[in-house]
Amino acid sequence: MNLTSIPRRNYSNGPTPIEYLENLSKLLNGPDIYIKRDDQLGLAGGGNKTRKLEFLVADALKNNADTLITCGAVQSNHCRLTLSAAKKEQLDCHLVLEERVAGSYNPQATGNNLLYNLLDADSKTVVPGGSDMVKEMEKVAKQVEAEGKKPYIIPMGGSNEIGATGYVACAEEINSQLSENSLDIDYIITPTGSAGTHAGLLTGMGESNNSIPIVGISVNNEKHVQEENVYKLVGKTSDYLKLRNKIDKSSVKVLGDYIGPGYSLPTDGMIEAVKLLSQREGILLDPVYTGKTMAGLIDLIRQGYFKKEEKVLFLHTGGSPALYNYASLFQ
Ligand SMILES: Cc1ncc(COP(=O)(O)O)c(C=O)c1O
């Protein structure tokens, strides 16, 4: 697969490491657990959105945009990283924030909210949970156009076919690392939210004829809804990249059992997972995505889902700046 014809900015310095989690693997006495450190990607604080933004911002620049508009939850890693990319490229950036949990927006909050202020967003518009985010971003785009600027709208989580291409590239990166290190992985475990990461990985692995099962742990939608979202985006991404291999719907696997009371709301499993990874491995997870996903992986290991001789690769998609907004859980 050749992605070189697609416009791309470069926001990271080489491949992110794959590390063996020796202490956690021993403690759980199950499969060998490896971690792909996408929390170490470039831009402010790293994380999966950096890979998507390399393609999305390149497309914005190709379209002569001078302003990025995007949306997310009130503590959105995607909004933080879009702002960071905008600053690097000297673009304006406007955020539309969805208050998914009523009353959760606090202009004084720390975590990503603090970073929106430090990175100096040109505007923040807070809208109630369930709002039509596309319409809300279009309203902002009209205002921006009225000021003589050229806006470019990046969808929620950067999850369209252009953003998902970042994870097609990541699948290629993982394949090279596995073959360079003669490492055979039996499963990849990833958080799945707006679906771009999961869909990009599946598309990329499919095109390389690598059939490692990819299990998405949902942080928001129930299993069937999320499987449909991922599958649709796999189709759009494959069409966009003009790929030959067709991904079968049965290869889209999502588990919806680790969301707890709702998106961004803490679970006991998440708290245990965040503590275990920091105290056993010195790695920071986040409370909304990777903490719940690691809680899922730990639970699956305890249930005997994997054989002891198998190897599992956990995708660390970043997000640790949000930890500071959940300080009371970890003091
Ligand atoms: C830290 C982190 N991990 C995982 C995800 C989920 O990735 P995706 O939206 O591509 O499904 C997000 C999305 O915002 C995120 O911020």
Side-chain angles (χ1 to χ4, degrees):
M1 182 179 19
N2 189 353
L3 298 178
T4 50
S5 61
I6 299 177
R8 180 178 189 173
R9 304 294 291 162
N10 179 14
Y11 297 142
S12 295
N13 211 351
T16 58
I18 291 182
E19 297 167 359
Y20 175 47
L21 298 182
E22 186 176 353
N23 303 329
L24 188 69
S25 302
K26 276 195 184 136
L27 179 81
L28 297 172
N29 194 27
D32 282 335
I33 308 168
Y34 291 79
I35 191 164
K36 170 79 173 156
R37 298 293 306 270
D38 270 12
D39 56 318
Q40 294 184 359
L41 288 166
L43 299 178
N48 60 344
K49 301 308 184 284
T50 299
R51 287 192 193 269
K52 300 179 181 185
L53 286 162
E54 289 191 349
F55 290 94
L56 288 161
V57 176
D59 192 56
L61 295 173
K62 191 179 114 192
N63 284 285
N64 300 316
D66 55 20
T67 302
L68 302 179
I69 300 172
T70 198
C71 68
V74 295
Q75 282 282 336
S76 162
N77 300 303
H78 167 67
C79 287
R80 179 219 337 136
L81 286 166
T82 304
L83 251 174
S84 173
K87 294 296 152 174
K88 196 171 170 65
E89 305 285 5
Q90 301 272 285
L91 304 171
D92 288 356
C93 185
H94 297 262
L95 305 178
V96 182
L97 303 175
E98 182 186 6
E99 202 179 32
R100 293 187 192 165
V101 177
S104 62
Y105 178 68
N106 168 6
Q108 304 302 322
T110 175
N112 282 316
N113 181 73
L114 167 73
L115 300 179
Y116 304 154
N117 296 337
L118 178 61
L119 290 160
D120 200 18
D122 290 286
S123 75
K124 294 191 286 179
T125 308
V126 183
V127 299
S131 300
D132 181 334
M133 298 306 280
V134 174
K135 275 205 186 124
E136 295 296 339
M137 287 194 288
E138 281 166 356
K139 276 191 216 161
V140 176
K142 285 221 171 76
Q143 288 160 16
V144 165
E145 275 165 353
E147 290 160 16
K149 294 268 184 176
K150 179 121 198 290
Y152 180 93
I153 294 181
I154 295 180
M156 176 83 74
S159 283
N160 58 11
E161 58 280 16
I162 301 172
T165 300
Y167 271 87
V168 176
C170 179
E172 282 192 333
E173 182 177 306
I174 292 174
N175 281 330
S176 310
Q177 288 174 305
L178 297 184
S179 79
E180 275 160 25
N181 294 293
S182 307
L183 192 59
D184 279 327
I185 289 290
D186 298 287
Y187 290 89
I188 294 178
I189 309 289
T190 178
T192 185
S194 63
T197 303
H198 192 176
L201 277 179
L202 268 169
T203 309
M205 288 296 179
E207 193 60 14
S208 321
N209 294 311
N210 185 334
S211 57
I212 303 180
I214 300 173
V215 180
I217 306 246
S218 179
V219 297
N220 193 11
N221 294 318
E222 63 182 56
K223 175 183 168 68
H224 297 292
V225 173
Q226 188 64 9
E227 283 178 346
E228 195 55 39
N229 291 347
V230 173
Y231 185 60
K232 273 193 197 142
L233 189 50
V234 165
K236 283 189 190 163
T237 309
S238 302
D239 290 349
Y240 172 66
L241 297 174
K242 302 189 178 62
L243 302 182
R244 289 152 300 143
N245 287 359
K246 194 110 191 74
I247 309 282
D248 198 77
K249 188 151 188 213
S250 62
S251 57
V252 182
K253 294 194 176 65
V254 171
L255 299 179
D257 311 319
Y258 302 100
I259 303 166
Y263 173 80
S264 78
L265 299 174
T267 62
D268 290 345
M270 176 279 287
I271 295 170
E272 183 198 17
V274 171
K275 285 186 177 167
L276 269 181
L277 264 285
S278 49
Q279 294 167 12
R280 300 282 170 158
E281 298 287 353
I283 292 176
L284 300 180
L285 297 179
D286 84 285
V288 182
Y289 299 93
T290 54
K292 285 187 178 173
T293 304
M294 183 55 84
L297 173 58
I298 292 170
D299 183 58
L300 293 173
I301 293 173
R302 288 178 177 150
Q303 282 180 38
Y305 187 94
F306 309 101
K307 299 194 190 89
K308 186 147 169 37
E309 63 278 13
E310 287 182 327
K311 293 186 174 65
V312 175
L313 179 64
F314 176 88
L315 179 66
H316 189 336
T317 48
S320 67
L323 270 177
Y324 303 98
N325 195 48
Y326 289 75
S328 61
L329 298 179
F330 301 106
Q331 291 287 18

